[in-house]
Amino acid sequence: MVWTTSDKVDFIQRVFGSGKLAHNGRDVAVRCPICDPKDKTKKKLAIRVSDDFTHCWVCGFKSRTLAPLIRKYGTQSLMLEYRERFMPEDPYASGSRCRFIGIEEEVRAVRLPTDFKLLVLASDVDPDVRATRRYLTSRGLTEDDLWFYKIGVSNEFRWRRRAIVPSFNASGALNFFVARAIDKDRKPKYDNPDVDRVPIIFNELNVDWTKRVVLCEGAFDAFKCGDNAVPMLGSDLNEQSALFNSIVAHGTPVAIALDGDMWDTKTPRLASKLAEYDIHVDIVDTRRLGDPGSVNKEEFKRALENATEFTWLGSFLTKLNRASRTKMRV
Ligand SMILES: [Zn+2]
């Protein structure tokens, strides 16, 4: 990464038009392409030259790289140049200090419960261990899966009788975990450490950004969705999240496999959001599957093979269709 401040400022101006250096001497303020103010002299998008933390004072947009904005509002050659010359290497590294302009925040290090044990190595004498194994087997996980995903258990009150699935960042450091209750009535069903999820890409260690990534809702869905699946840890994907930014920055094609009941709502919304950034989006029809976590890997593989490409026309026709169906019902 060899560039000078003036190289970077020059690049920013080629993307966003002329800018002015802020009083603090660290940020360049440019016109925000999202707000797109009529008054062209309004420069409210602050970009910190040293590490690309970006914040718009008007619309509130925040990002840790310039990738989303260049992808959406710039050209392909600017994107390429950004990736090759300027993009920060690991803006979301766990333990590193992540600062939005004006807002200081630290990525808190996540630790596993102190008595965490890999399930494959835990003693069978413990009835909770046996129950956790039974639960995971009933959800279709094999011993290989337990090794591969490093699923474990703990006897700490909060994490007891939960299958703990750790997550590792690109450099192999723990960045998160989810703990799924094995008992039906336990609340919450999923628990996790109390940290900000925005900078977390669940098990990024296993992700190949050059290949199509399957986006699903939870870790238990990801187990069934093939080698290159990332759970969003919810049914929404925040545009400011590390996951969204990485997809956009790498131009990674995506297959969306949310739960079947999201078919008419969050699935098309997420697809359009990604397509706006020029991302190739395929949609997996999960309506018959329910959620990907409830089927086996083979069934999901078949559904993935039959995934259809998201197109604006298709999405328009679906909406039209739905509107006319609604009308008929009235
Ligand atoms: Zn803005």
Side-chain angles (χ1 to χ4, degrees), residues 32 34-35 45 56 58-61:
C32 172
I34 305 168
C35 304
L45 184 73
C56 174
V58 179
C59 66
F61 176 86

Side-chain angles (χ1 to χ4, degrees), residues 173-194:
L174 183 86
N175 62 356
F176 200 64
F177 62 87
V178 295
R180 171 65 162 90
I182 63 169
D183 300 307
K184 241 191 185 150
D185 304 320
R186 178 98 174 259
K187 297 249 162 57
K189 203 154 70 165
Y190 289 91
D191 201 355
N192 50 256
D194 315 300

Side-chain angles (χ1 to χ4, degrees), residues 20-33:
K20 53 185 177 201
L21 206 62
H23 298 304
N24 61 20
R26 296 182 310 182
D27 310 334
V28 173
V30 293
R31 217 179 118 252
C32 172

